[in-house]
Amino acid sequence: MSATEAQHATPGAPGVSYYMPLTTPSAGTALATEDEVPTLFTPLQLRSLTLHNRFAVSPMCTYSADDGHLTDWHLVHLGAFALRGAALTIVEATAVTPNGRISPEDSGLWQDSQIGPLRRIADYFHSQGQKIGIQLAHAGRKASTLAPWLQKARGEAGLATAEQKGWPENVWAPSAIQYSPTFAQPREMTIEEIKGFVVSYAQAAERAIKAGMDTVEIHAAHGYLLHEFFSPITNKRTDAYGGSFENRTRLLFEVIAAVRAVIPETMPLLLRISGTDWMEHSGEPSWDVPQAIRLAKLLPDAGVDLLDISSGGITPGQKIKIHPYYQIDIASRVREEVRAEGKQLLIGGVGMVTTAEMARDVVQADGAVDESEGGHKAKADLVLIARQFLKEPEFVLRTAHKLGVHVMWPTQYHRAGWPKGSQL
């Protein structure tokens, strides 16, 4: 028994140097047997990592880091989700090199001094019994831009100049193709830079382990560097990294191998991709769902445990067919195709999840949930939510109430639950 525990009737939470009442089981855990609750509130196993429910907080850029270092802003912002029951929170896109940031205020993990602030946040998460991961990224040709509110407020172009701590002369891409006239003109990466980039990814992953991360996600979506290599729209190379599907995805698999080599065997590895460029209307080659399916089938053997499927971001010319399930349906299709070949790959569904009912239905296990509709098929294994958590940090607790699931609240909030049957 620690000195902290000996001084208090309520045991103290582990992993922090100060006293905090222990919440056990973790907030957001269903307090009923698994056969009495929807799949959304049942555990999910990823290698040695156990999530006590199927909620994950998607990475969300906040443009608030100090030379790549996280601050108390991030502790409070991210900690709110851990406190209120999200089983996994993924830290925002974190650059593996300085020129890989979207903006000068992005999170980074390219130097050791950035480990400590991240470790402090991880320790808090673990004291709450929750899990934390980090999305490692490189913005490619979409780097060196201003925070979005600056663009809107000033009516300025998106480019962050050298005077604004940007690096417009050192923006990388697979090919020297500008995203738009208001973005930096990128230069084509050399083979030496590509090899160095892979090493930087591995080094950032090693720092993530030292910072206490429970999982790492590779960001290969939204028109950023790895996605740029996938897409024929942005990749016009004629060497080993361009042309065929195998060549355009080569860099991703090199990054996966490098990261997998430095993280523990017991740690799950996550990957986010764009399922499509939404450019079929152009009549030109682009990244699309069939290629995403082809890629997904290769991932289990490469060491990826969960594929998180978003979409778009490669070009301003995209035409997205938006409806509530516009990305979830892509994830569902990929999941079915991968399972049909007997591959073991968990799928994360993301996008426009704003209600308890939708969150439940996305991950609800296969079965005859509604006989009149001929049963139900799960579309994903984990639901990743972004903006709804900004609007409702208590979304997990609110969802549980709406679905009639009795879950654990934070110990300190034990008087705050809604009366059973009350309408929210």
Side-chain angles (χ1 to χ4, degrees):
M1 177 179 292
S2 69
T4 297
E5 288 175 323
Q7 296 169 8
H8 301 276
T10 301
V16 287
S17 60
Y18 48 87
Y19 175 71
M20 182 193 310
L22 177 66
T23 294
T24 183
S26 305
T29 302
L31 300 177
T33 59
E34 290 184 18
D35 58 359
E36 296 176 328
V37 300
T39 305
L40 186 61
F41 284 95
T42 61
L44 180 65
Q45 194 71 33
L46 297 92
R47 298 202 182 207
S48 66
L49 184 66
T50 303
L51 305 181
H52 61 266
N53 60 44
R54 306 298 181 96
F55 290 91
V57 180
S58 265
M60 292 179 280
C61 293
T62 59
Y63 310 97
S64 301
D66 183 3
D67 191 27
H69 299 77
L70 301 187
T71 70
D72 284 356
W73 152 259
H74 300 92
L75 174 64
V76 174
H77 161 63
L78 297 169
F81 309 129
L83 179 64
R84 294 166 174 84
L88 173 66
T89 298
I90 305 176
V91 177
E92 64 190 73
T94 297
V96 300
T97 64
N99 76 339
R101 291 171 291 171
I102 302 167
S103 82
E105 291 76 38
D106 274 19
S107 171
L109 206 48
W110 66 80
Q111 58 187 357
D112 288 351
S113 62
Q114 292 158 342
I115 296 172
L118 185 59
R119 179 86 218 190
R120 183 180 179 211
I121 296 170
D123 289 346
Y124 174 78
F125 267 73
H126 296 152
S127 77
Q128 300 302 305
Q130 312 290 19
K131 308 302 182 185
I132 183 169
I134 191 165
Q135 185 185 70
L136 299 180
H138 192 292
R141 69 176 187 165
K142 297 172 80 172
S144 193
T145 62
L146 295 170
W149 55 78
L150 291 177
Q151 299 175 42
K152 184 177 180 180
R154 300 178 187 176
E156 295 179 349
L159 184 65
T161 64
E163 292 73 25
Q164 296 161 320
K165 299 187 177 181
W167 50 97
E169 303 303 319
N170 188 30
V171 171
W172 290 350
S175 301
I177 303 171
Q178 198 173 19
Y179 177 75
S180 81
T182 63
F183 279 67
Q185 173 61 53
R187 59 183 179 82
E188 181 173 306
M189 292 176 73
T190 65
I191 294 296
E192 183 179 358
E193 286 169 337
I194 289 173
K195 299 301 183 184
F197 166 72
V198 174
V199 172
S200 295
Y201 234 107
Q203 291 173 339
E206 289 182 300
R207 293 187 184 99
I209 303 308
K210 292 177 182 177
M213 295 296 103
D214 297 301
T215 186
V216 168
E217 179 173 81
I218 296 169
H219 194 1
H222 301 165
Y224 299 129
L225 188 61
L226 287 172
H227 182 191
E228 290 166 18
F229 271 86
F230 291 176
S231 178
I233 293 173
T234 45
N235 186 346
K236 306 296 184 183
R237 301 178 74 98
T238 57
D239 59 13
Y241 292 95
S244 67
F245 171 88
E246 291 81 5
N247 283 359
R248 286 182 284 111
T249 59
R250 185 183 305 278
L251 181 55
L252 171 67
F253 285 103
E254 289 180 354
V255 168
I256 291 171
V259 172
R260 189 76 263 178
V262 299
I263 65 175
E265 177 64 26
T266 55
M267 176 179 284
L269 179 60
L270 282 54
L271 169 67
R272 170 169 278 192
I273 67 168
S274 282
T276 177
D277 286 341
W278 296 108
M279 287 295 291
E280 292 82 357
H281 64 277
S282 70
E284 300 295 328
S286 63
W287 181 255
D288 55 20
V289 176
Q291 290 175 87
I293 292 170
R294 183 178 176 184
L295 175 67
K297 291 177 180 179
L298 300 173
L299 295 176
D301 290 340
V304 173
D305 301 286
L306 184 141
L307 177 62
D308 166 11
I309 304 174
S310 187
S311 70
I314 199 70
T315 173
Q318 66 187 8
K319 291 185 179 179
I320 302 176
K321 300 172 183 177
I322 295 182
H323 58 85
Y325 285 84
Y326 80 105
Q327 290 182 157
I328 299 291
D329 284 346
I330 297 172
S332 178
R333 181 176 167 188
V334 173
R335 186 175 186 268
E336 288 187 18
E337 294 274 0
V338 170
R339 289 193 163 208
E341 292 198 1
K343 302 284 188 178
Q344 299 298 313
L345 179 68
L346 295 173
I347 299 295
V350 61
M352 300 185 75
V353 179
T354 60
T355 68
E357 293 77 15
M358 184 175 178
R360 175 196 61 200
D361 293 347
V362 167
V363 299
Q364 183 62 37
D366 296 353
V369 175
D370 188 333
E371 297 288 348
S372 66
E373 297 183 5
H376 175 88
K377 274 191 173 182
K379 295 178 179 293
D381 302 287
L382 181 71
V383 60
L384 294 106
I385 301 169
R387 295 180 193 180
Q388 196 61 28
F389 270 120
L390 298 183
K391 299 171 185 175
E392 297 179 291
E394 75 286 356
F395 186 68
V396 174
L397 304 175
R398 187 177 291 265
T399 295
H401 179 78
K402 288 185 176 180
L403 299 181
V405 180
H406 182 38
V407 299
M408 187 69 180
W409 276 59
T411 295
Q412 300 94 322
Y413 290 9
H414 71 282
R415 299 181 68 181
W418 297 284
K420 186 176 181 180
S422 60
Q423 297 297 311
L424 301 185

